[in-house]
Amino acid sequence: LREPGLNLRVVQLFRDPRAVHNSRLKARQALLRESIQVLRSRHRAEPRGPSRQQQQLLLPPGLLGGGRAPQPQHRAEFFLGGALEVICQAWLRDLLLARRAPAWLSRRYTQLRYEDLVREPRTQLRRLLRFAGLSVPPALESFVHNMTRGAAYSSDRPFLISARDAREAIHAWRERLSRQQVRQVEAACGEAMSLLSY
């Protein structure tokens, strides 16, 4: 970031952790390997491993009864939930660093919430391109608007990139996650959620 010849800029994208958890659950098989890698990164960072309290966050009910390994049908959710907790901890570290960042970092770093991009695609695109020192071609503005205002929201194929009503996507977790899942995500990610105004 300090290298004058690079003029590097960082845009960090955040999304409501409840929506992230919902999306990750829908794509559980596709994200299983990635989730295991994320969990391994935490275990490398914590020589003694996570505490029992940390282990209980984001797990399906009854999963830790007597210290048993997760049942096969819950294994993917076990890894996805644990990975989300690690992701939220990393977000919190980043957010706290950004709050007390020196001027040279503040000029080169900005944050964007997915929900703000979906609600105001043109405004947020202009802000990001201005931050990067780039112009805003009208065709790009139209593209961003059209990609976030498609005919419907489809969650059947989460990695398919197509025009869809992204405004529905930001609230889909409210219909799909149980109250317990929402409480677990909020317990694991509460500090980061508070700093991000979720």
Side-chain angles (χ1 to χ4, degrees):
L1 285 170
R2 293 185 195 194
E3 175 58 49
L6 289 179
N7 193 22
L8 180 67
R9 305 293 170 116
V10 176
V11 177
Q12 187 167 11
L13 178 66
F14 293 97
R15 187 174 182 197
D16 186 323
R18 295 164 293 200
V20 171
H21 192 55
N22 180 53
S23 293
R24 292 176 65 83
L25 287 173
K26 286 186 298 189
R28 70 184 69 192
Q29 293 308 332
L31 293 173
L32 188 57
R33 180 173 289 164
E34 179 267 349
S35 296
I36 292 169
Q37 290 172 339
V38 169
L39 281 170
R40 284 182 180 153
S41 73
R42 173 174 65 183
H43 291 297
R44 283 193 294 271
E46 296 176 6
R48 287 176 266 157
S51 67
R52 179 142 177 95
Q53 179 186 8
Q54 289 172 319
Q55 290 173 355
Q56 290 179 0
L57 294 174
L58 299 177
L59 303 180
L63 205 81
L64 284 178
R68 293 187 308 254
Q71 297 298 314
Q73 67 269 24
H74 295 302
R75 193 166 288 142
E77 193 167 337
F78 173 84
F79 290 125
L80 290 170
L84 180 63
E85 182 184 349
V86 174
I87 290 166
C88 284
Q89 290 169 355
W91 285 2
L92 181 59
R93 285 191 304 271
D94 293 344
L95 290 163
L96 293 174
L97 174 66
R99 280 195 159 190
R100 55 181 186 267
W104 64 265
L105 176 58
S106 296
R107 287 189 304 269
R108 297 178 177 273
Y109 171 86
T110 193
Q111 300 166 351
L112 174 64
R113 294 185 337 155
Y114 172 79
E115 295 78 8
D116 296 333
L117 180 62
V118 165
R119 287 185 186 112
E120 303 173 319
R122 289 185 171 124
T123 302
Q124 293 302 323
L125 176 67
R126 282 189 219 111
R127 181 178 76 84
L128 290 176
L129 292 177
R130 193 170 43 252
F131 167 74
L134 301 171
S135 62
V136 185
L140 185 56
E141 269 194 33
S142 294
F143 174 79
V144 167
H145 181 78
N146 293 337
M147 288 300 285
T148 58
R149 298 296 187 270
Y153 168 64
S154 171
S155 61
D156 297 338
R157 299 175 64 190
F159 296 113
L160 176 68
I161 302 198
S162 62
R164 60 182 179 169
D165 189 348
R167 292 169 298 185
E168 285 186 42
I170 62 177
H171 299 296
W173 64 267
R174 294 171 190 245
E175 297 172 9
R176 293 189 177 98
L177 294 182
S178 69
R179 283 192 175 122
Q180 180 174 353
Q181 288 171 316
V182 170
R183 281 194 298 270
Q184 289 173 327
V185 171
E186 290 172 349
C189 302
E191 289 180 84
M193 290 174 70
S194 177
L195 290 175
L196 291 164
S197 300
Y198 287 122

